[in-house]
Amino acid sequence: MEYQTYLDYGISMRRHFHQYPELGREECETRSFCIHQLKDMGYTVTDCFHTGFYADLYVDTAFPVIAFRADMDALPATEKPGEVVISQYPGAAHLCGHDLHMAIALTAAKIMSDQRMNLKANIRFLFQPSEEMFRGGAKGMIEKGCLDGVDQVYGLHNDPQIDCGQIAISPGIMSSNGDQFRLMIEGKSAHASAPHLGLDALSEAVRLLNEFRAIITDHVDPNKAALISTCMLKAGEAPNILARTAELQGSIRSFDKDVQKTMIRHFMEEIQETRRRGYTAELEMKGYPAISNHPAEAQKLIDIARQFLGSENVLTGHPPMVGSEDFSFFLEEKPGAFFFLGSGDHSKGISNPLHSNPFIVNENCILTGATLFAMLAGL
């Protein structure tokens, strides 16, 4: 199969996924479509965690097992026109490029299947659900055994702010430690004319919002990056009744584990102060550690990418992503590396950030990503 044939296949896969997006743990049609493609290529498929699965191609028991991750879920949004194809499902859209990630994995799987006699590794593709959800799918797949027997694991995320034909990768930190929180505060309602008879949850939520911001200025070294972003505040039912309940949602981010621990410790102290003041406070918190590339595997990828793309197109000094990604859990279990794949084209005005609506990409990046995966497998 020639270059153009693989690219055409990858683009057709991506456009299918883009038109029929599904939300986290609802990726049933997506899953069935991918499994059909992979079985036709000769892969053995194993169910794993809700709508997740993994697909194996074994060629020699003496070879290591290398795994590659593809996340499947879309975002809860109605897509605006602008891409070459558009979501057919109102309320779901691939605005982060997971359609690209699946297309890359399937194209790589096809290349590896076609050239299996030349592989230097046994192959596993991890098709992961619910990366975008509050409680992502990576940890669930790991707990169900998706990494059993795996020696190395690799992943990517497209980035339209990097040009197609380039990648960004570094040994070490590639993303932030990220903890999302949802805090429910309950006080006591009263008429606005008699506030002394109530316990105002809204005013307590505002106090907490300001105290959370002060944690960084009061307790974090100013030379170290840190964020506490409270992005949602819901409270109140009427203009003349004190709010009985309030809800705060947001995130806590840093690149340094000790900084993250410091912020969370003071965050918890402020919530305890809320309880001391007479309120009920219930906290939900779920976090992802920073993606930390293993040095040897990152260097292996850098060397391969320089060979394929040219040294000038391998960006090793790119700053880490301030967002977080649950691929970090895979790298806590096995050696491997994660990189950002350029999916933009500044010359044509394609440089929109992730989660833009519409989300425009250069589809040629599909074959770039697939080829890098194939080269990691020895092709």
Side-chain angles (χ1 to χ4, degrees):
M1 212 182 255
E2 297 180 352
Y3 171 96
Q4 191 61 47
T5 308
Y6 284 123
L7 179 58
D8 290 345
Y9 172 79
I11 289 174
S12 70
M13 294 296 100
R14 185 259 169 168
R15 293 185 182 183
H16 172 85
F17 296 132
H18 196 85
Q19 290 180 86
Y20 305 107
E22 295 177 295
L23 302 180
R25 301 190 194 171
E26 298 175 8
E27 307 99 334
C28 300
E29 292 180 16
T30 302
R31 164 196 164 86
S32 296
F33 184 89
C34 291
I35 288 174
H36 176 75
Q37 295 290 320
L38 289 157
K39 284 186 173 180
D40 280 353
M41 298 175 202
Y43 285 78
T44 302
V45 173
T46 303
D47 294 340
C48 186
F49 187 69
H50 294 282
T51 47
F53 69 93
Y54 55 89
D56 291 322
L57 184 68
Y58 276 80
V59 294
D60 192 320
T61 55
F63 289 164
V65 177
I66 300 181
F68 303 93
R69 192 281 298 263
D71 34 9
M72 299 190 291
D73 56 326
L75 287 163
T78 297
E79 185 177 17
K80 298 176 182 177
E83 254 291 18
V84 288
V85 292
I86 191 167
S87 169
Q88 301 301 300
Y89 297 158
H94 276 297
L95 304 182
C96 199
H98 294 182
D99 53 342
L100 280 174
H101 302 172
M102 290 184 285
I104 289 166
L106 289 176
T107 305
K110 183 173 280 294
I111 294 170
M112 294 176 194
S113 175
D114 290 346
Q115 301 184 44
R116 69 184 69 190
M117 297 303 294
N118 298 319
L119 285 170
K120 300 296 187 294
N122 300 301
I123 306 303
R124 176 169 293 177
F125 283 96
L126 309 170
F127 281 78
Q128 179 199 317
S130 59
E131 188 276 330
E132 298 285 0
M133 290 180 69
F134 185 67
R135 303 181 190 280
K139 199 153 194 176
M141 287 194 71
I142 292 166
E143 290 170 355
K144 294 296 182 180
C146 76
L147 292 180
D148 291 354
V150 168
D151 296 291
Q152 299 171 28
V153 61
Y154 294 91
L156 61 78
H157 203 296
N158 82 97
D159 188 344
Q161 295 186 294
I162 302 172
D163 279 340
C164 180
Q166 297 182 322
I167 71 164
I169 179 172
S170 299
I173 299 297
M174 290 289 290
S175 72
S176 71
N177 301 288
D179 290 279
Q180 294 184 16
F181 64 85
R182 178 174 180 263
L183 177 62
M184 299 295 297
I185 303 165
E186 183 173 352
K188 181 181 178 183
S189 59
H191 196 277
S193 64
H196 59 291
L197 300 178
L199 200 57
D200 184 8
L202 174 56
S203 64
E204 182 61 16
V206 171
R207 184 194 74 80
L208 280 171
L209 189 154
N210 290 320
E211 291 299 329
F212 291 163
R213 287 181 173 177
I215 289 171
I216 294 176
T217 56
D218 293 349
H219 301 289
V220 175
D221 182 340
N223 293 304
K224 295 185 177 179
L227 284 172
I228 299 181
S229 302
T230 304
C231 301
M232 290 178 61
L233 196 167
K234 299 178 182 178
E237 298 175 313
N240 60 347
I241 302 174
L242 296 187
R244 183 180 65 85
T245 62
E247 176 183 343
L248 292 166
Q249 290 193 43
S251 59
I252 305 171
R253 302 180 190 277
S254 72
F255 298 119
D256 185 294
K257 283 188 177 181
D258 289 336
V259 169
Q260 196 77 359
K261 289 177 182 177
T262 296
M263 289 194 292
I264 290 174
R265 184 176 75 252
H266 290 286
F267 180 86
M268 295 298 189
E269 288 172 357
E270 292 299 338
I271 294 173
Q272 278 300 104
E273 173 64 14
T274 291
R275 293 176 178 135
R276 190 193 65 77
R277 290 159 62 88
Y279 297 88
T280 298
E282 296 183 3
L283 175 67
E284 294 179 17
M285 183 175 279
K286 183 68 175 180
Y288 298 159
I291 294 173
S292 183
N293 282 340
H294 294 249
E297 286 69 27
Q299 192 59 51
K300 175 183 176 182
L301 182 52
I302 289 168
D303 292 343
I304 285 170
R306 284 174 173 162
Q307 174 189 340
F308 174 46
L309 302 173
S311 296
E312 70 279 7
N313 292 314
V314 181
L315 313 177
T316 56
H318 206 66
M321 175 177 69
V322 181
S324 52
E325 231 271 12
D326 68 353
F327 187 81
S328 55
F329 289 121
F330 293 120
L331 293 181
E332 287 194 331
E333 299 293 323
K334 299 290 181 177
F338 181 88
F339 66 98
F340 292 103
L341 176 73
S343 59
D345 188 339
H346 284 77
S347 68
K348 296 180 180 178
I350 301 174
S351 60
N352 49 294
L354 299 173
H355 293 206
S356 296
N357 193 357
F359 183 64
I360 312 295
V361 298
N362 183 334
E363 292 175 314
N364 290 321
C365 74
I366 294 169
L367 194 55
T368 304
T371 302
L372 287 169
F373 279 176
M375 292 177 74
L376 285 166
L379 296 180

